[in-house]
Every structure is written in structure tokens, then in C-alpha cells.
Amino acid sequence: MARKFIGTKIVPSVLIFISLIVSAILADFLLHLAGLIWVGRYLGIVGTLIILSSFLYSLRKRKLFKAGSPKTLLQNHELMGWLGALCILVHGGIHFNAIIPWLALIAMIVVVASGLTGKYLLKQAKERLKDKEKALKAQNKTTDEVERELLYSSLLVETMQKWRKVHMPLTMIFFAFALIHIVITLLLWRW
């Protein structure tokens, strides 16, 4: 049971995160090998735009607009967050030019890890709640008994949904560092 749990729940999130880091290292290496280091500079812009567009999900969730399916927008948020992070990691590369860009890069990696962790924890809590409900119904418990016994578990799911209260401040820290980096870059860019 524990092996199945680890294999189906934890491993995919870990592999997604590792694939992000490995893909960034490989892409940066190939750009250096091909003499196209300058491409990395512009991948920061591309990555930022991709990440910004991934926030359509957040806007939809907060009912700031009505277009699109929340499920599809969430899947796009996850995919575009990964792709945007990849572009920005390649943009940062192995260059140690300044502290603010590295703080932004580290904050972004923490945000990605936070997103993957929250997705995993919430999914796990919801699955446990459904399994417990099925088991209670199989015991021919009344609706009131089922609701009473599921109350604690449903509160756990509700608490897990609040992980966003951690994810969002981390995202804001990332955006603050990224914005400072962008403004300084625009001011100092050799136009």
C-alpha cells in the first residue's frame, strides 16, 4: 500500500520538479554549446509572459472574469507555470551577475515546489475523504452518521485548500524580486 501511494502520489510531483531542473540545465548547456548564449537573455521575457498568462486561472477562480473552464485553466496554469519557469531558469543560466535576479530565481523555484506540493496534498486529502465516505456508506450508516463522521475529514480538506495562503505570498515575493530585476534591467539595458 505504501509503495503504491508513493508511486502514484509523490513520484509524479517529484519527477515534474526534477524534469524542470534537468530540462533547464540541458537547454542552457545546448545554448552555450551552439554559441547562442544571447537567446537566454530573451527567454526571461518569454518566461515572464508565459507565467503572467498562467494567472488567467487565478483571475477566473476569483470571478474577475467568466471565460473558460476552471479545470482547463488550472491545467494550463500548471503547464504554463512549468514552461515559464523553464524559460526563466534558462534565462538565469549559470551566470552569477547580481543578487536580485538570483533571489527572484530562488523564489520562483520555491513557488513551483509549493504549487506541486499543494496540488499533491489537496488531491490526497480529497481522495481520503471520498474513500472514507464510501466505506461509511458501505456500512449502511445513515446520512447524519456519515456527515458527522466526515466532518473532521472535510475540515481537513478545507484546511488543505487554504495552502494557497502560503502559495500566494510566496508568489508575491517572487513577483516583487522579478519586478525589481525587470525595472533595473530596463534602466541599465544598453539600448
Side-chain angles (χ1 to χ4, degrees), residues 7 29 42 50 52 99 103-105 120 122 152 172 175 188-190:
F29 173 75
Y42 299 99
I50 291 171
L52 286 174
I99 190 76
L103 290 174
L105 196 67
Y120 155 74
L122 184 58
Y152 173 74
M172 293 301 117
F175 274 127
L188 300 177
W189 190 295
R190 295 180 191 134

Side-chain angles (χ1 to χ4, degrees), residues 122 156-167:
L122 184 58
L156 178 62
V157 170
E158 187 177 315
T159 301
M160 292 307 306
Q161 288 175 328
K162 293 181 181 177
W163 73 268
R164 290 176 189 93
K165 290 185 178 183
V166 172
H167 186 63

Side-chain angles (χ1 to χ4, degrees), residues 76-95:
N76 288 340
H77 173 76
E78 293 167 356
L79 175 64
M80 292 182 345
W82 190 92
L83 288 172
L86 174 64
C87 290
I88 291 173
L89 283 169
V90 174
H91 167 72
I94 57 169
H95 315 287

Side-chain angles (χ1 to χ4, degrees), residues 27-44 87 89-97 189:
D28 191 54
F29 173 75
L30 292 173
L31 286 174
H32 278 78
L33 194 64
L36 299 172
I37 298 169
W38 60 270
V39 171
R41 171 181 274 183
Y42 299 99
L43 285 177
C87 290
L89 283 169
V90 174
H91 167 72
I94 57 169
H95 315 287
F96 297 95
N97 299 333
W189 190 295

Side-chain angles (χ1 to χ4, degrees), residues 16-149:
I16 290 169
F17 188 76
I18 290 171
S19 72
L20 174 65
I21 303 301
V22 170
S23 297
I25 291 168
L26 180 63
D28 191 54
F29 173 75
L30 292 173
L31 286 174
H32 278 78
L33 194 64
L36 299 172
I37 298 169
W38 60 270
V39 171
R41 171 181 274 183
Y42 299 99
L43 285 177
I45 297 167
V46 172
T48 300
L49 294 174
I50 291 171
I51 287 175
L52 286 174
S53 66
S54 79
F55 281 93
L56 289 174
Y57 165 71
S58 298
L59 295 174
R60 171 71 165 91
K61 186 172 176 128
R62 286 164 183 74
K63 298 179 179 156
L64 296 174
F65 76 94
K66 306 252 187 243
S69 154
K71 183 177 180 178
T72 302
L73 288 171
L74 175 60
Q75 291 169 340
N76 288 340
H77 173 76
E78 293 167 356
L79 175 64
M80 292 182 345
W82 190 92
L83 288 172
L86 174 64
C87 290
I88 291 173
L89 283 169
V90 174
H91 167 72
I94 57 169
H95 315 287
F96 297 95
N97 299 333
I99 190 76
I100 295 292
W102 275 95
L103 290 174
L105 196 67
I106 290 166
M108 183 194 65
I109 290 171
V110 170
V111 168
V112 170
S114 163
L116 289 169
T117 302
K119 176 184 176 182
Y120 155 74
L121 291 174
L122 184 58
K123 186 175 181 181
Q124 177 188 6
K126 285 180 178 180
E127 286 177 5
R128 283 187 178 174
L129 182 62
K130 284 180 185 177
D131 290 345
K132 189 171 184 179
E133 182 179 17
K134 284 179 187 176
L136 291 171
K137 286 181 178 179
Q139 295 172 5
N140 294 323
K141 301 241 181 188
T142 67
T143 304
D144 286 342
E145 290 173 323
V146 170
E147 286 179 7
R148 200 172 319 120
E149 291 198 35

